[in-house]
Structures are given as structure tokens and as C-alpha cells.
Amino acid sequence: MADVAILDSRERVLAGILLTGGAYFLFSAQDAAIKLLVVGISVWQIMFFRSVTILAACAAIGGRRLFTDTARSPIVRPMLVRSAFTLAAWLCYYNAARTLQLAELTTIYYAAPIIVTVLSVFMLGEKVPLLRWLAVLIGFAGVFVACDPTHLGISAPMVLVLAAALLWGIAVVLLRKIAMQERTTIQLVLNNFYFLLFSVAPALIWWRTPDGGQLLLLASVGALGGMAQYLLFEGMKRAPVSIVAPFEYTSLVWAFALGFAIWGDVPRREVFLGAALIVAAGLLVIGNEHFRKRL
């Protein structure tokens, strides 16, 4: 029985890693769609459309019963706090993106997985082995090498990105605490209901009527964002946050791949070296978890 329990635990953690990795790919695809949209539409309007799309999908799948259960859920207030941190991270990140180059922006923001790992110790009481700390640092080194940042100095946009990383780190840790208390569909409804409340007024103030192509992109942002949130919530239920945190680095790999596919951006050699370090960090986490569970 003990062997079966260990096997189930290992498979659960690996499933959490796969789900989380898939979530970050979908988030990267969503960001690519948002990058195409922000030229003519405000971030508030994009957030509004995304929330409406996801809530409509939840209604089609879960019906009235889902919304009734959501209203009675014990995580209504905790999810409000988590959604507020996520929104704040979004606003900091996209305001900084107007000024900073992609290399600077990405490098600073990817301090987030390190912040998540540190916070998981103090807020969740998780024990983080030395190899897992090493994986996080290798992943950050990979991001640094891939972005090849130069002439970094303290500025308001940099402070905004650091704030975004900290706020997102707190949001991820809060998600881990909330994820164990309620089913994923209810978390989706609450998260996007709060985002809808936060964004409706600014979206109306800066409203621009989208054309056909923009409507298609807005629908895709909703679909990609909804699926990504679902996978992330499910992954957080299966694996400790300090294990899945390094896999946020894979977003950088997807970002460069999508940049090449959509805009024809050709990665530099530093990008390939950085990607190799990021992949190595992920494999180190998986290998360490596999070996540890077998002992």
C-alpha cells in the first residue's frame, strides 16, 4: 500500500507539472494575441472581453447551478484578494512595457518564480530542497542570458516590473492556498467575475469599437486565458508551488517561438543558450522529484 501511495503521489506531482507547463504555453499565446490588440484597444477593454468570454463559457458548461454554488463558496473573499493582486501585477507590467525593452522587461519580471519559491516557505510552510533552489537560480540565469540585458539602471518602469513580479508571486502563493479549498470551475467564475468588476468602468471610458479581426483576437484571448487559468488552477492542486514555480520560465521559450512565428523575430544565440538553461532547470526539478519519491 505504501508503494502505491508513493506512486500516486509522484504521478500527481508530475501531472501538476505538465498542467502548469501547458498553462504557461497558453498564457504566452494569449500574450501574443494581446500584443496584437494593444495597438488599437486598451488593456482594460481586453480584460473586459476576456472576462465576459470566460464567464460565458463557464455558464454554458456549468449552468445556473455553478453560479449558485459560487455565490455560496467559502473562497469568495479570499479570491477577491487574490484577483486584486493579479490585477495590480497586470497594471504594473503593462505600464512598464510601454517604456522598457523586451529584454529588460522580461529579465526583471522573471524574478517572480524566485519570489514564489521564497514566499512558499514563509506563507505555506513548504520545505524547499537545495536542488530545487538550484533549479530556480539556473532558470533565472537562463532568462538573464537569453535576454542579454545591458545598461540596466534604477528607473520608475523597472520599479514597476519588480512590483509586478512581487505582486504576481503573492498571487500565485495565494492561489495555492485557495486551490485546495474549492473546485476549479468556481475559482474560474470568481476570478473572472472580479476582473469584470474591476475592468468594466475603465473599459467603457476608453472604449473603441473593435473590427472583425480584433473581435476574433478578443475571443481568442478569452479562450486561451480561460484554458490557461483552468490548467494553472488544476496544476496548483497537484504539486507544491515551489515545484511548479520554475516552469514559469518556459514562457520565455514560448514567447520567442511565437515571436518568430508571428513577427519573424530571429532569436540570437544567447536565446538558445538561455533556453537550454531554462529547460535544464525544469528537467532538474522533474528528475529530483522522481528520484526523491523513489527513495
Side-chain angles (χ1 to χ4, degrees):
M1 292 293 291
D3 291 339
V4 173
I6 291 174
L7 180 61
D8 289 343
S9 177
R10 183 170 72 239
E11 289 179 349
R12 186 177 179 83
V13 169
L14 292 177
I17 289 172
L18 290 174
L19 288 168
T20 305
Y24 286 125
F25 166 71
L26 294 175
F27 277 130
S28 297
Q30 171 198 253
D31 288 346
I34 290 175
K35 184 177 179 181
L36 292 168
L37 281 167
V38 290
V39 177
I41 294 180
S42 73
V43 175
W44 290 109
Q45 194 172 344
I46 294 169
M47 189 185 301
F48 172 80
F49 270 93
R50 190 185 79 154
S51 300
V52 169
T53 303
I54 295 173
L55 288 172
C58 289
I61 295 170
R64 183 181 298 179
R65 176 65 182 272
L66 173 60
F67 289 88
T68 302
D69 291 345
T70 299
R72 298 171 179 169
S73 174
I75 68 165
V76 169
R77 289 185 179 179
M79 203 67 183
L80 172 62
V81 176
R82 190 262 172 186
S83 298
F85 275 107
T86 305
L87 174 66
W90 263 53
L91 294 177
C92 289
Y93 185 84
Y94 283 109
N95 275 301
R98 297 175 182 174
T99 306
L100 291 179
Q101 297 177 359
L102 181 60
E104 298 171 333
L105 187 70
T106 309
T107 300
I108 300 169
Y109 180 72
Y110 271 86
I114 293 178
I115 293 171
V116 168
T117 301
V118 173
L119 290 177
S120 71
V121 175
F122 295 102
M123 294 178 65
L124 300 179
E126 291 185 2
K127 295 181 180 179
V128 181
L130 181 60
L131 277 177
R132 209 179 296 165
W133 282 113
L134 180 61
V136 172
L137 294 174
I138 290 173
F140 181 75
V143 173
F144 193 88
V145 170
C147 292
D148 191 24
T150 56
H151 303 99
L152 293 178
I154 300 300
S155 64
M158 283 190 179
V159 172
L160 281 176
V161 183
L162 284 171
L166 175 60
L167 290 165
W168 175 245
I170 295 172
V172 169
V173 174
L174 289 175
L175 174 57
R176 172 63 179 172
K177 295 182 72 172
I178 295 170
M180 306 305 294
Q181 302 176 34
E182 191 57 273
R183 66 183 193 265
T184 300
T185 48
I186 287 180
Q187 295 179 60
L188 275 175
V189 170
L190 283 172
N191 192 55
N192 290 283
F193 173 71
Y194 290 136
F195 268 42
L196 183 63
L197 286 181
F198 293 147
S199 63
V200 61
L204 291 174
I205 292 171
W206 288 290
W207 182 270
R208 291 188 181 181
T209 303
D211 57 30
Q214 289 172 329
L215 276 174
L216 215 68
L217 281 172
L218 285 167
S220 71
V221 166
L224 291 167
M227 289 188 292
Q229 288 179 43
Y230 183 86
L231 293 181
L232 184 62
F233 293 162
E234 285 292 311
M236 290 291 181
K237 288 181 179 180
R238 289 167 170 78
V241 69
S242 55
I243 289 181
V244 298
F247 289 88
E248 188 170 355
Y249 291 125
T250 59
S251 298
L252 180 66
V253 180
W254 297 124
F256 279 110
L258 290 168
F260 176 76
I262 298 172
W263 294 281
D265 297 336
V266 180
R268 297 165 285 103
R269 64 179 182 179
E270 290 86 358
V271 174
F272 291 104
L273 177 58
L277 288 170
I278 293 167
V279 172
L283 292 176
L284 181 60
V285 171
I286 295 174
N288 176 61
E289 185 63 22
H290 179 77
F291 178 76
R292 187 175 66 86
K293 293 296 183 181
R294 292 189 63 178
L295 293 179

